[in-house]
Amino acid sequence: MAATASTAAEALKLVPFFAKLNEGEASALAERLIVRRFGPDQIIFHLGDPAGLLYIITHGKVKISYSTPDGQEAVLAILGNGDFFGELALLDDSPRSATAEAIEPTETLTLHRDEFMNYIDNNPAFAHHVLYILARRIRHLNNQISDIFFLDLPGRLARILLHLADQHGRNTDKGVVIDISLTQTDLAEMTGATRVSINKALGRFRRAKWVKIDGRQVTILDRKALQNLIQISGG
């Protein structure tokens, strides 16, 4: 099922690879996007599966995880509206390096690798922008690795919340609302902690008035305090 041109072009420009395309370029490439829908707990692809598609989330929530042979799971990211995943498949066509699972009813727009490579071949300047975006992604991965070794749980949680606020934040007069539904289990899996530990850490953040918790919605009230916590934690 093809997406409508205007909606698809807008979604495409949310992906950093394509953010600098002009209206005509985005519309032309958007015509090649295909809608794919997934139900709650449905696996989109497994670690090791053949690749070839970029996914852009237009509605819903997706968990990206890595599982060890003995069954332990590390959650690499929880993504929502406007996020994307599977972009490495556009470049090397290697098997999937992680598992993607829909957490709730999810709709995506997909772009095939062949379409992407054809676009690069016809627009050499576009390749420079792709390299810049890849460098940014690598820096983010390096930060994730250093967090595992050098930050305690409160520091890791603070880093995750600030990252989510940067990705999904909506400024209000009371603070930055993270516009994505988050459970304590989600946060536990993203920080490599237990749900009980996350509950205690969030309680501390709430009492200190660093964050506000309203059901599954988190609002950052004191960004500077969370940044200071990361520095202390890593010191």
Side-chain angles (χ1 to χ4, degrees), residues 52-67:
L53 291 177
L54 165 76
Y55 295 80
I56 306 169
I57 303 171
T58 55
H59 176 76
K61 189 164 69 169
V62 172
K63 176 173 71 174
I64 308 297
S65 64
Y66 180 89
S67 296

Side-chain angles (χ1 to χ4, degrees), residues 118-129:
N118 286 338
Y119 189 82
I120 283 187
D121 289 342
N122 295 323
N123 299 271
F126 177 65
H128 294 282
H129 179 63

